[in-house]
Amino acid sequence: MEYITAALDMADAIRDVLHTTIKTVYPKFYPKEVTEFFCRHHSREHVLEGIASGNMGVLVDNGVIIGTGCFDGNHITGIYVLPRYQKQGCGSQIMNFLEDKIRQTYTVSILEASLPAVCLYEHRGYKTVGHGVYELENDARLVYEIMEKKL
């Protein structure tokens, strides 16, 4: 497996990783409105913006994109790994890369953790420093943890 910088021709594959992961994992933790919100948020245009920033990468296994990660400054803005590759160290490999990049300029990494990802981040030394709630339609709520780690 190799983690490389995302390129424009990868946008559709990255969007597929995002949507497959969201639609498979999030319904176990959140109401359908949250899953739909995340899928709308992670549009092709959003992926293209991440690629254009130069801060989005992909984890590739035998030519197939199986995960993606992105950061902005010292803020990790997303880590997604296809469900069939989870619990195999893929998310940690992406996190290692992102934290190494952030460490070059900052001493602290921050992120907003969805409920399914909190344990991964805790195992990596992140601590919850706050909680967030985002109100959605039909009285649904997106609940998340604000976490940070000293690098």
Side-chain angles (χ1 to χ4, degrees):
M1 280 186 256
E2 177 183 28
Y3 190 79
I4 59 173
T5 302
L8 289 175
D9 64 346
M10 300 173 177
D12 290 331
I14 293 168
R15 184 192 163 282
D16 289 346
V17 167
L18 295 167
H19 284 232
T20 299
T21 304
I22 291 164
K23 289 175 182 176
T24 303
V25 176
Y26 282 37
K28 298 171 189 168
F29 296 86
Y30 292 116
K32 71 177 179 62
E33 289 86 357
V34 173
T35 300
E36 292 167 355
F37 166 81
F38 271 105
C39 285
R40 283 191 309 271
H41 175 71
H42 291 294
S43 64
R44 187 172 197 281
E45 293 73 26
H46 180 80
V47 171
L48 288 170
E49 289 171 10
I51 293 170
S53 76
N55 296 333
M56 179 178 272
V58 293
L59 186 61
V60 179
D61 185 34
N62 294 319
V64 176
I65 295 173
I66 63 168
T68 185
C70 195
F71 71 99
D72 181 18
N74 70 330
H75 181 201
I76 295 175
T77 58
I79 303 283
Y80 290 87
V81 175
L82 286 172
R84 68 180 172 272
Y85 292 93
Q86 292 178 4
K87 305 214 184 291
Q88 299 175 36
C90 297
S92 291
Q93 189 171 343
I94 295 169
M95 288 293 295
N96 289 342
F97 180 86
L98 297 178
E99 288 176 355
D100 287 346
K101 292 296 273 186
I102 292 169
R103 187 179 289 111
Q104 293 172 8
T105 309
Y106 301 93
T107 59
V108 174
S109 173
I110 60 171
L111 54 83
E112 286 87 31
S114 62
L115 297 179
V118 170
C119 287
L120 166 70
Y121 300 132
E122 286 177 342
H123 287 275
R124 293 191 58 86
Y126 283 81
K127 304 288 184 207
T128 298
V129 296
H131 304 279
V133 177
Y134 191 80
E135 301 288 335
L136 299 171
E137 65 271 2
N138 300 326
D139 293 323
R141 290 178 179 85
L142 164 58
V143 178
Y144 58 93
E145 302 290 314
I146 301 164
M147 304 180 84
E148 68 178 37
K149 175 183 176 180
K150 293 191 187 318
L151 300 173

